[in-house]
Amino acid sequence: MPPRRAVTGRSQEPRKRFVEELRLLRAQKGDSLRHLGDVLGWDWSLFGKMEKGETLGGPEVAQALDQHYGTPGLLLTLWELALGDPSQFREQYRRYMALESEAVSLWHYAVGVLPGLLQTAEYAHEVLVAGGLKGTELTRQVEARVGRRELMTSEDPPRFRTILSETVLRTPLCNGQAWREQLQYLAAAAEQPNVTLQVLPHGARLHALASTDVMFLRLLDGRAVAYTESALHGELVEETGRVERLQRAYDAVRDLALTPAETRKFIGQMLEEVPCEPST
């Protein structure tokens, strides 16, 4: 068994330390990436991406590697430290944004907030203010979020399906007119041939995505990746098995949702409930 290295010092950059340890242990054992995949049962490309710092994999992967290399708990501890590293969230999100721009189709589920691709400037502003942004950074982030909508109006836009928890549509903006404009924007988006909107109504049974926003991207090479978000955590998921499990959960939610036609009617009814601003 190789001597266990202490998780100190170099852990100032936990993601980098995790990557270095993966490379070092494989080099010491003399494994190829393909052999590692064959032995542990994951696609060998996952280990290559982990060693490049493109993904962290999951805890089950770290545990399997610990067992394979005879380093009980070391890689899992480093994985946990890397998962909590704020820089890795920024890195993963940048990679996600690059993949989003290349996707041929997107599927999304929203727990409490509209997806950025369907937000008006006023909606984006209020959401980002609630998240603590202000000043120049707030302005920059609003512009960036609104700019993402160009993806949906490009010459060859990707197909986009979003399932919105009814909570999303029952959480209005402070400004009634801004909320009306957001609902009108949603109604118009639902008429676009490349956009499918569905609402998951209150009263639907519990499901695996009850507290998790997720976006799936289908890429040009046929691969699918996912980006999940909860209140405190976002993660780019590229490992095939995990993506497939998330897709099964998404399919179950879609089976519970209103049809696109029922959803358009639902949004129309909500618009009727929003009072018009008095004329001046």
Side-chain angles (χ1 to χ4, degrees):
M1 177 187 299
R4 177 166 176 171
R5 289 168 285 281
V7 186
T8 58
R10 289 163 59 208
S11 300
Q12 297 291 331
E13 298 179 13
R15 188 184 184 92
K16 183 177 180 181
R17 170 69 195 277
F18 181 61
V19 167
E20 289 174 348
E21 205 69 38
L22 290 174
R23 293 172 178 168
L24 177 62
L25 288 168
R26 186 167 67 83
Q28 288 177 338
K29 198 169 181 66
D31 288 339
S32 69
L33 290 172
R34 290 186 182 276
H35 176 72
L36 202 56
D38 291 341
V39 171
L40 298 184
W42 278 278
D43 190 314
W44 67 269
S45 64
L46 170 64
F47 300 109
K49 290 173 183 175
M50 290 172 70
E51 291 187 14
K52 292 177 183 176
E54 293 177 359
T55 183
L56 290 176
E60 68 280 6
V61 182
Q63 287 177 316
L65 287 168
D66 265 331
Q67 183 174 358
H68 178 70
Y69 291 132
T71 54
L74 173 64
L75 290 174
L76 181 59
T77 299
L78 291 173
W79 179 88
E80 291 171 344
L81 289 169
L83 193 67
D85 180 3
S87 67
Q88 75 95 7
F89 294 132
R90 293 191 295 271
E91 194 172 310
Q92 284 195 359
Y93 191 68
R94 282 194 296 270
R95 176 164 167 75
Y96 163 76
M97 291 298 293
L99 292 172
E100 182 186 83
S101 68
E102 301 170 0
V104 296
S105 62
L106 309 94
W107 311 280
H108 176 261
Y109 173 67
V111 175
V113 178
L114 286 169
L117 292 171
L118 295 179
Q119 292 180 11
T120 61
E122 292 79 5
Y123 189 98
H125 183 275
E126 192 163 315
V127 168
L128 292 168
V129 167
L133 290 183
K134 56 185 177 181
T136 304
E137 180 63 13
L138 172 61
T139 302
R140 189 181 69 81
Q141 291 286 351
V142 169
E143 290 175 351
R145 187 162 297 188
V146 172
R148 288 176 63 197
R149 298 189 328 202
E150 295 178 3
L151 180 68
M152 305 309 299
T153 57
S154 60
E155 185 174 337
D156 185 23
R159 297 198 62 81
F160 178 48
R161 176 189 295 272
T162 183
I163 304 172
L164 308 174
S165 166
E166 185 175 339
T167 300
V168 175
L169 298 180
R170 296 295 183 188
T171 310
L173 298 176
C174 296
N175 183 297
Q177 182 58 27
W179 180 234
R180 168 174 284 278
E181 291 171 0
Q182 175 64 80
L183 290 176
Q184 289 172 334
Y185 186 85
L186 275 183
E191 300 293 338
Q192 295 178 23
N194 63 309
V195 177
T196 302
L197 259 64
Q198 293 182 260
V199 169
L200 182 69
H202 290 325
R205 66 175 182 267
L206 285 174
H207 55 86
L209 299 180
S211 61
T212 303
D213 280 49
V214 62
M215 177 75 89
F216 297 95
L217 308 178
R218 177 71 65 182
L219 306 176
L220 282 169
D221 61 6
R223 288 186 305 123
V225 301
Y227 189 81
T228 62
E229 284 187 297
S230 58
L232 299 174
H233 177 60
E235 182 185 4
L236 180 63
V237 181
E238 298 185 76
E239 198 268 304
T240 302
R242 296 182 65 201
V243 173
E244 289 179 350
R245 287 194 292 274
L246 284 167
Q247 287 180 324
R248 287 195 293 271
Y250 184 85
D251 289 343
V253 172
R254 186 171 57 186
D255 290 343
L256 299 173
L258 301 179
T259 67
E262 291 169 337
T263 294
R264 289 192 293 271
K265 183 178 179 180
F266 185 93
I267 294 172
Q269 291 171 339
M270 291 207 63
L271 270 165
E272 293 176 2
E273 296 172 9
V274 179
C276 294
E277 290 292 306
S279 58
T280 56

